[in-house]
Each structure stands twice: as structure tokens, then as C-alpha cells.
Amino acid sequence: MKQLELTRQRLMRDLNDMKVFTTTPGKGCTRLPFTCAAQDCSNALKRLMIQAGMEVCTDVAGNVFGRLPGHNRKLPCVMMGSHYDSVLHGGDYDGIAGILCAIEVARLLQENGEQLERDFVVAAFNDEEGMRFGTGYFGSGAMLGLRDVDYCHKYKDIDGISIYDAMRAVDLDPEHIDDARWPDRSISCFLELHIEQGPVLDRENVDLGLVDCIAGIKRYVIKVKGRADHAGTTPMDMRLDAVDAASKVISNIADWARESGEESVATVGLIKALPGGINIIAEECEFTVDIRSRKQEILDNISSKIIEAVKKETNIMGGQYEIEEKLDAHPVYLCKSLLDSMEVSCRNYGYSFKYMSSGAGHDALVIAPCIPTVMLFVPSVNGRSHCPVEFTDVEYFVKAVQIMRDLATSKLSERD
């Protein structure tokens, strides 16, 4: 019980300390990649890892890794972690809590004199959210060798700054992004602890969620192009109104997701009309689309409907369109043997649990196709996330740390 209380106190302290790393103090956590706030957070995580007795390094993608040596350092490591970036005006638990819990697992291993057969690595990934550049999973993707120099040049933020230039601004060299790739078979398994970001566990008063599936995601930026004209003098049958055409597509997207079932969702999160005058017919309407589903065929079907609708409406209007795919991540099903092991631990401790899917992506989404992966959810109060009121009681993190520590030391995570 004394150790559990110590874990609770340390997690409360660490979670509170991380709240300062935001560019919007008092208005939620805004910690976008390659900014001063992100750099300061990265450095703070390094200090915590060093204090926990880990060997620490930062890679060219901005990821931070802390490593506890195992008996046989040639064996693939056990990795646990999450991301340290945030959305705009987000919460203080999304991503960062999973890193802090992983550091706490490392502390417990050290304090109890438990040296694993192989290295235990805490991973703090950069730019999981994709908020700044509209992509996502940059750091974990780089670790897997899925990011290159062309990728860094291609994606830009709303100010026209590319990932490439943003990296250079914080003294990271995008020309060597390949150096972030870990050798094949160097990671035995990946464990991620995360807040649920939804209402299920909190509503049902369940301690922990064992995630067996992560929904796939497709993201697009779509531009419908018409012609700017006077709002009062241009007859309706002579207009090339980009907003009119785009809105006919947008109005159907949510219904296509509802009709698909399987917990599928679709969101138009950003709409911009140009030139943006109250008395000017829009010459361009740009909007984003985020589609998520457990079923790849549903993702493909909704995407096809959107693309066909854009083609149809711009043709009727007499305009043009551009469709840029920002992300295409397939649904993944997580490692059953690791899930089984977590279930045993939950039963042993008397913690309530349920199997569930994740509608949010997480670094586990891109890692799972390559490495045995598992996720553990803790409740989010009222299901609120990506907003300043996001909150999880520290007691749930303490329980989750126990489960993850058991998993890290289990024979299942000690396989090659």
C-alpha cells in the first residue's frame, strides 16, 4: 500500500508539472510539434527519465526515449509510451499521461530491483495528433521508417511552414529523418496506456478498458473552386458558388457514416471560404474530412461517396476541385495474448474491466501492424477530451500502472 501511495503522489506531481508546457495558459493545453512549448516538455521528460535511472536520447524526429538496461541487451526491447504533443486548447492528460505512467513503471522496476531479461524503453513520441500539419503519427511513423524527406517537405501548417522547415527551426535535421528508424525486430512489443477520450468507462463505472481494436482513419483536405462575383448582382443561374457546391457534399457526410454502422464516424472539422466577404460569392471553399471505422470497407465506401459527390457538384456548378489525402491508416486488431495477460492481472487485483474498441487513433495504430501491441484505457470524466475540462482521477492511473508493470515483467513481453 505504501508503494501505491508513492505512485499516486508522483503521478499527481508529474501531471501537474506538465501543465505549464502550453502556449495557451488558462485556456487548455496547446503544445504543437516543433514549438517552444513542445521543446520544453521534451526536456522536462528527459529530466524525469534521467531521475528514474534511464539512459536517455532524442532522435531526429523529436522523439524522446528512456532506456532501462536488461540482462541481455541484444534482445528486442519492451517499449511503453505515448505522445507529448496536443491539439489546440486540449486537455492535460491526452498522451502525456501515458508517458508519465510509463516512467512510473520504470521507477517501480528500479525500486523493486526488477531487471528485465531485455531493455525496458519509455517512448515519448512527437506529433501524434497531426494538429499542426494535418497528418499525424509523425514520431512513431519515423521510428518505423515510414517518414522520409519528401514527406517532410510535402505537409505544411496554416502558415505555409513545412514539417521540414519546422524541424530545422528547432535544430533537427530532416535530411537525416531515416536515422530515426529502429532496426527490424529491435522491439519485442509496444504497450500504450491512454485516457479513453470517450464516455463508456466513466458512464459504466468501469476501472479499465482493454482495447482490442483501433479504428482506421482516412483524412482529406478538399478544395472546391468556383468564381468570385458580386453577391447582389449575379443571378443565381450564373453563379459558380464554391460554398453552395461544397455544402451539398458536406451535408451528406455525417449521414453516410450513420448509415454505415459499426461505430463509424465522419467529421468535417474545418471549413474556409475565400475570399471571405459577406457580399462576395466564394471562389473557393476548403474543408477537411476525418473518417473513422473498424471496417476498412466502410472507410473506402464513405471516401468513394465523398469523392464522387465532389466531382458531381463541381461539374454541375462548372467549377473545379482538388482532393488531398492527408492520412490513410487501416483498422488494426491488437495482440490477443497481451490482452489476455492484462485480463488476468485485472482479475487478480479485483479491478473491473471491459473489452472495447478505440475510435481515436493513437501511436498504437501505426505500430500494431509491425509490432505486437496492446492498449489500456482509463476513464475520462464525462467522456470529455481534446478540451480544457479533460480529466481522469489519478487513482485510475495507479491501477493502470500496476497492470502495465505486470505486463512488462510477464513472459509474454519477454519473447523474441
Side-chain angles (χ1 to χ4, degrees), residues 7-172:
T7 288
R8 186 183 71 83
Q9 291 177 4
R10 288 191 297 220
L11 288 175
M12 287 181 63
R13 177 201 66 200
D14 293 345
L15 286 164
N16 187 63
D17 288 349
M18 293 296 149
K19 293 179 182 180
V20 303
F21 303 117
T22 173
T23 57
T24 54
K27 298 180 181 180
C29 180
T30 301
R31 192 161 53 235
L32 302 187
F34 312 115
T35 62
C36 290
Q39 294 299 102
D40 290 344
C41 182
S42 168
N43 289 330
L45 290 171
K46 290 181 199 175
R47 290 192 293 270
L48 286 178
M49 291 175 183
I50 292 170
Q51 291 166 9
M54 288 182 270
E55 303 167 357
V56 180
C57 67
T58 302
D59 70 12
V60 69
N63 299 320
V64 181
F65 297 102
R67 184 182 292 264
L68 280 184
H71 288 294
N72 187 346
R73 308 203 66 182
K74 294 181 180 180
L75 292 175
C77 72
V78 175
M79 180 178 287
M80 179 179 173
S82 193
H83 63 96
Y84 65 88
D85 63 305
S86 80
V87 297
L88 293 170
H89 303 285
D92 294 317
Y93 301 83
D94 179 3
I96 194 71
I99 301 169
L100 297 175
C101 287
I103 292 173
E104 181 61 20
V105 169
R107 291 188 186 114
L108 294 174
L109 293 174
Q110 287 281 74
E111 291 168 358
N112 294 328
E114 295 178 282
Q115 186 179 25
L116 303 187
E117 184 62 23
R118 61 194 72 218
D119 291 358
F120 177 76
V121 174
V122 175
F125 292 118
N126 183 29
D127 194 12
E128 180 267 355
E129 295 286 3
M131 174 59 67
R132 181 174 179 183
F133 304 102
T135 53
Y137 319 113
F138 179 74
S140 51
M143 181 188 75
L144 298 169
L146 304 177
R147 304 291 180 259
D148 57 21
V149 176
D150 288 342
Y151 184 100
C152 296
H153 278 297
K154 179 179 180 181
Y155 295 105
K156 300 178 180 180
D157 64 15
I158 59 174
D159 297 316
I161 299 172
S162 66
I163 296 175
Y164 187 98
D165 291 334
M167 291 176 69
R168 292 185 64 185
V170 293
D171 296 324
L172 295 173

Side-chain angles (χ1 to χ4, degrees), residues 159-189:
D159 297 316
I161 299 172
S162 66
I163 296 175
Y164 187 98
D165 291 334
M167 291 176 69
R168 292 185 64 185
V170 293
D171 296 324
L172 295 173
D173 187 356
E175 290 292 334
H176 290 90
I177 189 65
D178 287 345
D179 292 349
R181 178 175 183 169
W182 283 46
D184 293 342
R185 295 182 59 79
S186 59
I187 304 170
S188 172
C189 60

Side-chain angles (χ1 to χ4, degrees), residues 185-206:
R185 295 182 59 79
S186 59
I187 304 170
S188 172
C189 60
F190 176 66
L191 322 177
E192 185 166 8
L193 187 161
H194 208 282
I195 60 171
E196 182 196 347
Q197 300 183 278
V200 176
L201 296 176
D202 186 56
R203 182 183 61 206
E204 299 181 10
N205 197 29
V206 175

Side-chain angles (χ1 to χ4, degrees), residues 290-307:
D290 181 301
I291 315 164
R292 307 184 187 215
S293 180
R294 294 170 57 100
K295 303 285 187 180
Q296 183 63 38
E297 57 266 31
I298 291 176
L299 290 170
D300 294 337
N301 181 255
I302 296 174
S303 297
S304 296
K305 287 181 176 179
I306 293 170
I307 293 169

